[in-house]
Amino acid sequence: MNKEKKQVLGFDQLKRSDVACVGGKNASLGELITGLGKQGIPVPPGFATTADAYWEYVDTNGLRELIANTIDRWNNGDIQLSEAGRLIRDAFLAGDWPADSVQNIKDAYRQLSKQSGQENCAVAVRSSATAEDLPDASFAGQQESYLNIRGEKDLLDACKRCYSSLFTDRAIMYRQAKGFDHRTIALSVGVQQMVRSDLASSGVMFSIDPETGFDKVVVINAAWGLGESVVQGSVDPDEYQVFKPLLADPALCPIVEKKLGSKQEKLIYDENPQHPTSTVSTSTNERNSFALQQAEILILARWACLIERHYSCAMDIEWAKDGESGNLYIVQARPETVQSRKPTHTFQTYRITGKKVKILSGLAIGNSVVSAPVCVIPNIEEIDHFVSGSILVTENTNPDWVPVMKRAAAIITNHGGRTSHAAIVSRELGVPAVIGTNNATELLREQQEVTVSCAEGDEGFVYQGRIEFSCDTPDLGTIQATNTKIMLNLANPAAAFRWWRIPADGVGLARMEFVISNHVQIHPMALLHFADIKDQKIQSQIEQLTKAYEDKTDYFVDRLATGLARIAAVFFPKPAIIRMSDFKTNEYANLLGGVDFEPSEENPMLGFRGASRYYSPRYREGFSLECKAIRRLREVLGFSNVIVMIPFCRTLWEADQVLAIMAENGLARGQNKLEIYMMCEIPSNVVLARSFSERFDGLSIGSNDLTQLTLGVDRDSSELATLFDERDEAVKWMIEHAIMEAHSAHTKVGLCGQAPSDHPDFASFLVHCGIDSISVSPDSYFSVKTHVADAEMKLTLAQG
């Protein structure tokens, strides 16, 4: 079949090689149907007008010369862009359809309606330029789409409007920037049967993390109603993240993030043919409920993996759920155009070094830091007031905002999600953005100096004034191999994926208390004994956080398990050592509801902390929830690489008590290959290192506490700062003795601390002692790896 000479082709006649004929969007829909339909991926049927139909329309109405002359006049500076675009669009809209085009489109629409079992079935009418959705250009929203179109007359009108949208101001500018010739690009119109997602939900998903490029997760955004609200960024959607390597096991549920969005409005069908869709407010129940069920999240994630595998590249995919049938559908798929094209051997890391005073926060897009004055543009009518090089602050963006987005130092919006227009275009432009802040246009004022930070995880921050920051660009290709394992200390689930490119040997320390503080926020005993909370304001805050959970303790278990899962996922299947909670009582009291369940202590550092809490009637129930979260993490989510570590275990009796209680909670050492480590951070741990080693699978030397307790120095005392030194001979003796005793019991031993980074001689000392692993912060990894490699080489030469 000569497709170039056909005016209309069914999606089932198309493949991805047909971009020149029907554009990237329609070619991809055809590829989905013909290439993946048999693998169970449902795509609503439809048809596409071809480039040949477009050129026949152009020639029938004598538009080639008008387009060429108008573009030339604009390039020569004779007319403004706005006038050039208007002249061409008006000419398209005033044109007449060739008779054969009319008949071909009507025939295809009648066949589609017959196939759907409906007279004049509702269709989505979307533009697909022949240079659209190519690997180096997303063309996000450059041409128009029209939803809920019914009847032949309205369909032909929508197709004509799609043709004219090839010459919107934003589309002209976008092609100009990308180097495409306006006069050689045609437009295909895709006509696809509508999915009744106005009665259910819809959204967008990526087969990689669009912020960090982490290629082992699927990121799904979801909201009620038609998907345009998610794409346009007019709603703050739910977000789900699914770990791909564990999806093949049907017994597992590797959802590593479930974030409830506000979803305050939705786009639905309207009976008015002049306005076939309308925006309405969502109900309280819709706002407080996830738009997808667990099984649906997993189905979509598996489809994303199939589509990615078929296309052999990371994908940006739109999906919809039919509210009448309950079925899920894929409605679009295109290559992801930003992260998948970045080099993997280098990456930039930013770090705030100055004092921070937060003004507001939202979703972080990108990973950089920018300081500049604010320019508040509340709506598109005031876009000409934007000052180049300033930070654009607005409600949300659409393709009309692209010219000023290119000139912005950073972008801040009130609304939108990770897959909104503002997010997609910001990534492509390399401009940091904080999306969905809710009230940036109210809190920030014109010309106010602020710092935008997207370098601290999933959450982006706007700080007062200009703050100092640093930027490093390590080259992963220069890293030397070492026998000593170099692992990372990670604590923030929101930032964990940013370090996936570092070739670390796993996570050597994940502090559970940090995850509880930032990801859970509520004291576990406050959830177990909610009625005992005295402060009604605190009760209201807890009610708000747990509103999506019938049982409040499920909130703790779910949030803790998913937060830890994001950390365990980064280097999977390499080990992730998770330390059970080690809050001091004053820190526990700072959690929501904590003040009603914590004693007041004179010296919390040496008080009711670590292992002593786990068997105490004061906290035993809370520890059971921690254990439940670990079981969910390992057995339900599937992260069998997780190793559990017990902190601040003072005596052998205490070790036995904790191990027994863990076994009661389904975490018996050795069961399901579970390994349990202990922090070696108290002198008694070193004195009885062999006996402790016989009870645990590994020891991890906590150099900070061990130095403090060996030297009797308060590590927080500025007066004694010069005495606090891990290289003191007494501390080194303790470390060497612990390593020797652990190895004599055939137990692994590592060290967590900053000293190997700050002091090359200390790294050399650890290598000479035969340490198995060293765990450091991500920004210290490269220096420690170098120090250890040098020490190992010198040791080899000395022994040789």
Side-chain angles (χ1 to χ4, degrees):
M1 182 197 303
N2 186 352
K3 295 178 182 178
E4 292 294 336
K5 296 303 178 184
K6 301 280 284 187
Q7 290 203 339
V8 174
L9 291 167
F11 288 158
D12 57 0
Q13 297 174 282
L14 300 173
K15 295 182 179 179
R16 62 178 139 172
S17 56
D18 291 323
V19 173
C21 180
V22 293
K25 191 176 295 180
N26 290 330
S28 185
L29 282 169
E31 182 70 25
L32 287 170
I33 290 174
T34 58
L36 287 166
K38 292 181 180 179
Q39 295 188 49
I41 294 184
V43 179
F47 61 90
T49 65
T50 64
D52 190 65
Y54 170 82
W55 289 121
E56 183 172 344
Y57 184 93
V58 168
D59 291 336
T60 297
N61 293 282
L63 298 179
R64 283 188 195 255
E65 186 176 355
L66 181 141
I67 293 170
N69 290 340
T70 305
I71 293 294
D72 285 342
R73 290 172 64 198
W74 169 58
N75 283 328
N76 294 333
D78 297 332
I79 57 174
Q80 297 293 318
L81 171 62
S82 57
E83 185 179 355
R86 180 183 57 77
L87 287 170
I88 298 174
R89 291 194 304 273
D90 286 350
F92 267 97
L93 293 174
D96 295 318
W97 281 104
D100 55 343
S101 295
V102 171
Q103 193 58 50
N104 287 325
I105 293 171
K106 285 183 176 181
D107 288 346
Y109 179 61
R110 289 166 187 168
Q111 180 61 33
L112 183 61
S113 294
K114 183 179 179 181
Q115 185 179 347
S116 71
Q118 305 173 44
E119 184 180 356
N120 292 332
C121 72
V123 292
V125 182
R126 293 188 172 95
S127 307
S128 182
T130 56
E132 191 174 16
D133 294 330
L134 299 181
D136 61 345
S138 74
F139 280 78
Q142 294 304 311
Q143 282 81 45
E144 298 296 343
S145 296
Y146 302 97
L147 305 179
N148 192 27
I149 301 300
R150 294 174 181 271
E152 296 172 358
K153 179 179 179 299
D154 287 346
L155 173 59
L156 288 166
D157 181 61
C159 290
K160 188 183 290 189
R161 284 184 284 161
C162 283
Y163 280 176
S164 74
S165 74
L166 189 59
F167 291 93
T168 60
D169 296 356
R170 62 181 183 253
I172 295 171
M173 284 298 300
Y174 192 89
R175 290 194 297 273
Q176 193 87 347
K178 291 292 181 181
F180 293 108
D181 187 340
H182 306 282
R183 289 163 282 198
T184 63
I185 292 176
L187 190 130
S188 165
V189 179
V191 179
Q192 186 176 38
Q193 182 181 336
M194 285 286 291
V195 175
R196 290 302 305 266
S197 58
D198 62 309
L199 303 176
S201 59
S202 57
V204 179
M205 60 180 172
F206 287 91
S207 65
I208 61 171
D209 177 23
E211 300 315 317
T212 66
F214 184 45
D215 58 1
K216 291 182 173 59
V217 290
V218 174
V219 177
I220 304 171
N221 277 187
W224 302 112
L226 301 173
E228 297 301 302
S229 59
V230 177
V231 174
Q232 293 170 0
S234 59
V235 297
D236 301 323
D238 297 338
E239 180 167 307
Y240 317 101
Q241 297 181 8
V242 186
F243 190 59
K244 293 193 287 189
L246 297 174
L247 271 172
D249 188 341
L252 299 177
C253 178
I255 300 172
V256 300
E257 176 69 291
K258 281 178 68 178
K259 188 182 296 181
L260 188 68
S262 60
K263 307 183 297 293
Q264 293 185 340
E265 60 185 36
K266 63 180 179 179
L267 191 66
I268 62 170
Y269 282 11
D270 196 306
E271 295 302 319
N272 184 351
Q274 300 302 314
H275 303 284
T277 61
S278 60
T279 299
V280 298
S281 297
T282 49
S283 67
T284 301
N285 183 57
E286 286 174 322
R287 295 177 191 180
N288 293 339
S289 302
F290 288 109
L292 285 173
Q293 300 299 313
Q294 178 175 288
E296 294 169 335
I297 297 168
L298 296 175
I299 288 171
L300 287 174
R302 290 190 176 102
W303 289 354
C305 292
L306 283 173
I307 295 169
E308 179 183 65
R309 195 176 307 126
H310 181 80
Y311 280 79
S312 300
C313 65
M315 297 297 289
D316 171 357
I317 303 160
E318 293 183 28
W319 61 270
K321 179 181 177 180
D322 191 292
E324 293 180 333
S325 67
N327 295 331
L328 291 166
Y329 293 90
I330 298 299
V331 295
Q332 282 192 52
R334 62 185 74 84
E336 193 273 344
T337 58
V338 180
Q339 291 295 343
S340 57
R341 299 178 62 81
K342 287 186 176 180
T344 56
H345 63 281
T346 61
F347 66 102
Q348 286 187 318
T349 62
Y350 290 79
R351 187 162 60 94
I352 298 283
T353 56
K355 185 179 179 181
K356 301 180 291 189
V357 180
K358 187 181 90 170
I359 302 174
L360 48 81
S361 63
L363 292 172
I365 306 300
N367 69 343
S368 58
V369 179
V370 166
S371 295
V374 162
C375 187
V376 181
I377 307 292
N379 52 62
I380 193 69
E381 285 74 25
E382 299 182 40
I383 200 169
D384 291 340
H385 298 154
F386 182 73
V387 179
S388 295
S390 60
I391 296 172
L392 172 64
V393 179
T394 188
E395 283 282 335
N396 55 49
T397 69
N398 61 39
D400 292 323
W401 290 81
V402 172
V404 297
M405 295 173 76
K406 291 179 179 178
R407 294 156 45 207
I411 296 165
I412 304 171
T413 70
N414 286 353
H415 303 293
R418 211 172 293 283
T419 54
S420 64
H421 176 269
I424 291 171
V425 174
S426 294
R427 284 189 206 102
E428 186 170 306
L429 295 174
V431 176
V434 180
I435 304 296
T437 62
N438 193 42
N439 55 356
T441 53
E442 298 172 17
L443 292 182
L444 300 176
R445 64 182 186 277
E446 196 71 11
Q447 293 301 302
Q448 179 182 0
E449 296 277 350
V450 301
T451 297
V452 169
S453 171
C454 296
E456 301 170 68
D458 284 353
E459 194 171 10
F461 298 94
V462 181
Y463 299 116
Q464 288 182 13
R466 292 179 177 267
I467 303 175
E468 292 184 3
F469 61 90
S470 62
C471 176
D472 295 314
T473 309
D475 187 346
L476 302 180
T478 62
I479 296 175
Q480 297 173 268
T482 59
N483 294 320
T484 307
K485 294 185 184 301
I486 309 300
M487 308 173 82
L488 295 191
N489 298 338
L490 297 179
N492 184 359
F497 292 169
R498 294 182 179 271
W499 310 112
W500 72 276
R501 287 189 174 90
I502 295 178
D505 293 304
V507 178
L509 175 63
R511 299 177 179 89
M512 182 183 284
E513 65 273 10
F514 193 100
V515 179
I516 293 174
S517 178
N518 291 277
H519 206 63
V520 180
Q521 303 177 44
I522 307 172
H523 196 292
M525 298 300 286
L527 296 167
L528 286 157
H529 302 281
F530 183 69
D532 295 342
I533 299 172
K534 298 179 178 65
D535 190 329
Q536 288 188 343
K537 184 178 179 182
I538 297 295
Q539 281 191 327
S540 297
Q541 287 179 272
I542 293 174
E543 289 278 18
Q544 180 64 22
L545 285 172
T546 61
K547 61 187 178 184
Y549 296 83
E550 199 169 314
D551 184 334
K552 288 180 170 53
T553 61
D554 287 343
Y555 167 84
F556 183 91
V557 173
D558 186 44
R559 292 291 290 172
L560 182 54
T562 54
L564 293 171
R566 286 169 60 87
I567 295 172
V570 179
F571 303 116
F572 183 89
K574 295 175 182 177
I577 303 171
I578 294 175
R579 189 180 72 186
M580 304 302 277
S581 67
D582 191 27
F583 278 127
K584 288 74 175 174
T585 49
N586 57 321
E587 295 168 336
Y588 257 119
N590 288 331
L591 294 173
L592 285 174
V595 71
D596 292 313
F597 300 96
E598 293 297 328
S600 177
E601 294 185 300
E602 290 295 327
N603 188 2
M605 184 68 75
L606 295 178
F608 186 46
R609 64 174 286 199
S612 63
R613 296 181 65 92
Y614 305 158
Y615 56 87
S616 166
R618 272 188 175 273
Y619 190 72
R620 186 166 177 162
E621 290 177 291
F623 183 64
S624 292
L625 291 184
E626 293 183 24
C627 291
K628 193 173 180 181
I630 293 293
R631 284 196 66 184
R632 176 172 173 77
L633 174 63
R634 283 176 53 86
E635 299 170 16
V636 179
L637 276 68
F639 290 95
S640 55
N641 63 323
V642 164
I643 296 168
V644 177
M645 185 156 65
I646 304 303
F648 223 77
C649 186
R650 295 171 170 94
T651 69
L652 297 174
W653 175 87
E654 192 165 63
D656 293 336
Q657 288 290 305
V658 171
L659 289 170
I661 289 172
M662 290 182 71
E664 289 175 15
N665 283 282
L667 294 177
R669 181 185 172 202
Q671 185 176 319
N672 296 324
K673 299 181 180 180
L674 173 65
E675 293 186 51
I676 303 178
Y677 285 13
M678 184 195 79
M679 289 290 294
C680 180
E681 54 192 339
I682 306 171
S684 63
N685 300 150
V686 178
V687 173
L688 298 176
R690 184 177 179 87
S691 296
F692 277 112
S693 297
E694 291 168 351
R695 287 164 166 79
F696 294 94
D697 299 289
L699 300 182
S700 181
I701 298 169
S703 59
N704 286 338
D705 270 341
L706 187 59
T707 301
Q708 175 175 245
L709 296 173
T710 299
L711 299 179
V713 173
D714 181 353
R715 70 189 193 195
D716 295 327
S717 170
S718 58
E719 295 294 329
L720 302 176
T722 56
L723 294 176
F724 186 89
D725 189 350
E726 296 97 329
R727 296 172 298 166
D728 185 276
E729 289 302 316
V731 179
K732 290 171 70 175
W733 184 92
M734 299 287 275
I735 291 172
E736 185 173 14
H737 185 76
I739 294 171
M740 180 181 66
E741 289 294 287
H743 283 169
S744 70
H746 306 291
T747 300
K748 291 168 283 190
V749 59
L751 179 138
C752 304
Q754 188 66 19
S757 172
D758 297 337
H759 309 293
D761 59 322
F762 191 75
S764 180
F765 161 73
L766 294 174
V767 170
H768 278 77
C769 289
I771 196 97
D772 295 305
S773 65
I774 300 171
S775 191
V776 297
S777 61
D779 57 357
S780 300
Y781 173 86
F782 297 97
S783 60
V784 171
K785 190 77 169 175
T786 301
H787 296 336
V788 169
D790 291 344
E792 288 185 351
M793 183 177 64
K794 291 174 183 176
L795 182 61
T796 301
L797 291 173
Q799 293 173 341

